[in-house]
Amino acid sequence: MQMVLPESLQTQLQSYLFAQGTTPCAYVHSFGCQLNVSDGERIRGVLQQIGYTLTNHYEDADLILFNTCAVRGSAEDRLYGVLGNVKRYKRENPNLILVLCGCMASETHTAEFVRTHYPYVDILFGTASLSRFPKLLLEHFQGEKFAFDIGEYDDMYEGLSPSREHPFQASVPVMFGCNNFCTYCIVPYVRGRERSRKPDQIIREVRELIQHGYKEIMLLGQNVNSYGNDLDTSVTFAWLLQQIDEIPGDFVIRFLSSHPKDATPDLLDTILNEKKIGKHLHLPVQSGSDDVLRRMNRQYTTKKYLEIVDYLRSRNSDFSLTTDLIVGFPNETEIDFAGTLDLVRRVKYDNIYTFIYSKRRGTKAAEMEDKISSKEKHDRMEQLLLLQREVATEHYRRFLGRTLRVLVEGKSKRDGWLIGKDLAFIIVEFSGEESLIGTFVDVKVTKIHNWAVEGELQ
Ligand code: SAM
Ligand code: SF4
Ligand code: F3S
C-alpha cells in the first residue's frame, strides 16, 4: 500500500493550514465521466485527511479544486469559463488556493497554456500524480508560484480512502487507463495504459461498502472487459463479477464501460445469469457504419456487434441496452449516417448518449480530412435524437402493466414524486414518501415516456 500522507508531511502541512487558527475549507468539482468523479472522491478523502472540511459552495472555500475533463472541446471551454469566474474570488482573497487536476491537466500543452494565461492557478497535477498532491500543496505553502506535476502513468492510488458524495450508490474503479487508441479519443493519452487493480483490493472495498449499507455498486473502467489482462494471474472481469455477486447482501451490481471487441461469451453469460447484476449492458457502438468503425479503430464490425445483441436478447428478450454514438466523424457520409440510424432501429436501445465529433489534438482522427459542415453534423444529431425518442417510447411498452424492482434515488422534479432506476437501468418515476430514498421498492408501470416509465408503488 502506498504511503500517501506520511506523518511528517501531514505535520508540515498542518503547521501552514492551521496558522490562522480556523479550520480550512475545500471545494472539489469533478467534470467529465464517472471515473473522474471517482478520482474526485479520492481527492476529497486526501483533503479531509490533511485537515480540510469540505464545502459545496466555492464562494466559502480556502481551496478550490477543479478535476478536469478533456474528452471534447466543449468540456475544455467550460473549464476556462469557470476559471474566468473564479479569478474574482482569487483577487478578493489572495490566500485562496486554486488547483487544477484530471485529464486536461495531464496534457503538456494545457499545463503550459494555464501557466501563461491563468497565472493565478497555484497547483496543477495530472491523473498519474494524484497521490503526489499533498507534496505539491506543501511546495505551494513553501512559496512555489506554480507547483505542478504531470508525471508518468504509474499511479494506482491504493490506500487513498474516498470521501463519497453519495450515501447508497458507490463507484469502485477496477482499472485505470486504456489501451485501445480509438482514433478520435484523447483518453489513452491523458490516462495512460491499462492498469488493473488487484482483485482482493476491489473485493475488500465492495465488501466494506455493502457492510456500510450501499445498495448500488458501479464498477468502473474505460474498458472493464479487459480487466485483468495486465495482471500475472488469470482473473477476468467475468470472474470478478462472480466474486462480487457472491458477497452477501441486498445490492445491485452495475458497470461501465464495455468494449464490444472484448465482450466474451463467458462475460455475457455471467451478466445474464448472476442474480445481483442488472440485466443491462452499456455497449458503446459509436457508429453503425463499418467503414467509420474501421477508421475509428474500434476493431469490430456491425455484424459482430449485432451478434452480441442477438445473443443477449435470445436469452432474455427484455435485456436492456444503452450505447454511445458519435455523429459527424471526419467525412462520415449520408450512407454511413443512415447505417447508424438503422442500427438504432434494429437494436432498440433504452437510452443513447450522443456526441458530435470533437477534434482532439494529438489523436489520429485530428489528421483526417473533414468536409462535413457543422450544420450538417447538428442536423444529423437532431435526426438521431428524434429517432431514439420514437424507438424508446415504443420499446418501453414492454414494461406496461409489469412490476419493476427499483432503487429509489431521490426526489423527481414533480412535487411529491420520486425517481429511481430499475435493475435493468430503466428510469422510473412514481409518487411516494421521501423516506423510501435509498431503498428498493416495487413499482407497477402505468405509463410510458420517451426517456422513462412511470408507475404506482406496490
Ligand atoms: N471507454 C469508453 C468506451 O470506449 O466505450 C468511452 C469513454 S469516453 C470517455 C465516453 C464517450 O465519449 C465515448 O464512448 C465517445 O462516444 C465519446 N467521445 C470520445 N471522444 C470523443 C470525441 N473526440 N468527440 C466526440 N465524442 C467523443
Ligand atoms: Fe477512448 Fe476508445 Fe479507450 Fe473508450 S476504448 S476510452 S473510446 S480510446
Ligand atoms: Fe473521463 Fe473526460 Fe477524462 S470523459 S477519462 S474525464 S477525458
Side-chain angles (χ1 to χ4, degrees), residues 178-182 184-188 222-223 259 286 298:
C178 180
N179 287 356
N180 292 312
F181 289 94
C182 303
Y184 50 82
C185 186
I186 197 70
V187 171
Q222 291 301 347
N223 174 17
H259 197 304
Q286 313 298 357
R298 286 293 288 181

Side-chain angles (χ1 to χ4, degrees), residues 71-72 184 222 284 286 298 324 326 355-358 360:
V71 76
R72 284 172 289 277
Y184 50 82
Q222 291 301 347
Q286 313 298 357
R298 286 293 288 181
D324 291 350
I326 294 180
F355 309 101
I356 291 187
Y357 168 74
S358 168
R360 300 287 69 208

Side-chain angles (χ1 to χ4, degrees), residues 4-66:
V4 176
L5 194 55
E7 222 169 283
S8 59
L9 181 54
Q10 181 146 3
T11 314
Q12 287 183 73
L13 279 169
Q14 293 188 343
S15 70
Y16 289 100
L17 273 176
F18 295 104
Q20 316 294 331
T22 52
T23 305
C25 198
Y27 169 87
V28 173
H29 182 81
S30 295
F31 296 87
C33 64
Q34 303 203 38
L35 268 161
N36 225 34
V37 173
S38 166
D39 284 358
E41 293 185 333
R42 281 176 161 74
I43 295 168
R44 282 158 50 97
V46 171
L47 285 163
Q48 278 184 322
Q49 210 185 332
I50 293 172
Y52 281 93
T53 58
L54 298 171
T55 171
N56 290 328
H57 308 282
Y58 64 66
E59 302 83 347
D60 308 336
D62 303 293
L63 181 147
I64 297 179
L65 181 145
F66 293 119

Side-chain angles (χ1 to χ4, degrees), residues 76-137:
E76 299 201 347
D77 297 344
R78 207 170 312 135
L79 189 261
Y80 288 127
V82 172
L83 276 187
N85 292 341
V86 169
K87 188 175 183 180
R88 179 162 68 87
Y89 296 100
K90 199 58 194 176
R91 223 181 285 127
E92 287 165 9
N93 174 8
N95 291 328
L96 174 66
I97 303 169
L98 185 54
V99 188
L100 287 193
C101 64
C103 293
M104 233 177 120
S106 303
E107 300 172 301
T108 319
H109 64 90
T110 306
E112 274 317 308
F113 186 76
V114 167
R115 188 206 290 268
T116 43
H117 292 82
Y118 299 88
Y120 51 94
V121 171
D122 301 296
I123 299 173
L124 179 145
F125 60 92
T127 54
S129 313
L130 202 151
S131 61
R132 295 191 278 278
F133 171 42
K135 204 166 152 283
L136 293 171
L137 190 57

Side-chain angles (χ1 to χ4, degrees), residues 244-312:
I244 295 177
D245 195 82
E246 277 173 22
I247 298 176
D250 189 14
F251 63 99
V252 57
I253 307 169
R254 307 193 189 281
F255 53 90
L256 279 176
S257 269
S258 283
H259 197 304
K261 81 176 167 59
D262 298 313
T264 59
D266 185 28
L267 176 67
L268 301 181
D269 286 339
T270 301
I271 300 168
L272 286 162
N273 298 333
E274 298 296 331
K275 286 202 184 59
K276 292 171 186 158
I277 303 176
K279 301 307 161 215
H280 158 248
L281 184 60
H282 182 67
L283 196 62
V285 66
Q286 313 298 357
S287 168
S289 150
D290 284 339
D291 185 49
V292 171
L293 288 175
R294 187 184 49 75
R295 292 192 297 120
M296 286 178 164
N297 188 32
R298 286 293 288 181
Q299 301 174 60
Y300 53 83
T301 57
T302 47
K303 182 167 176 283
K304 160 95 198 310
Y305 185 90
L306 289 169
E307 278 168 14
I308 301 172
V309 172
D310 290 344
Y311 181 76
L312 291 166

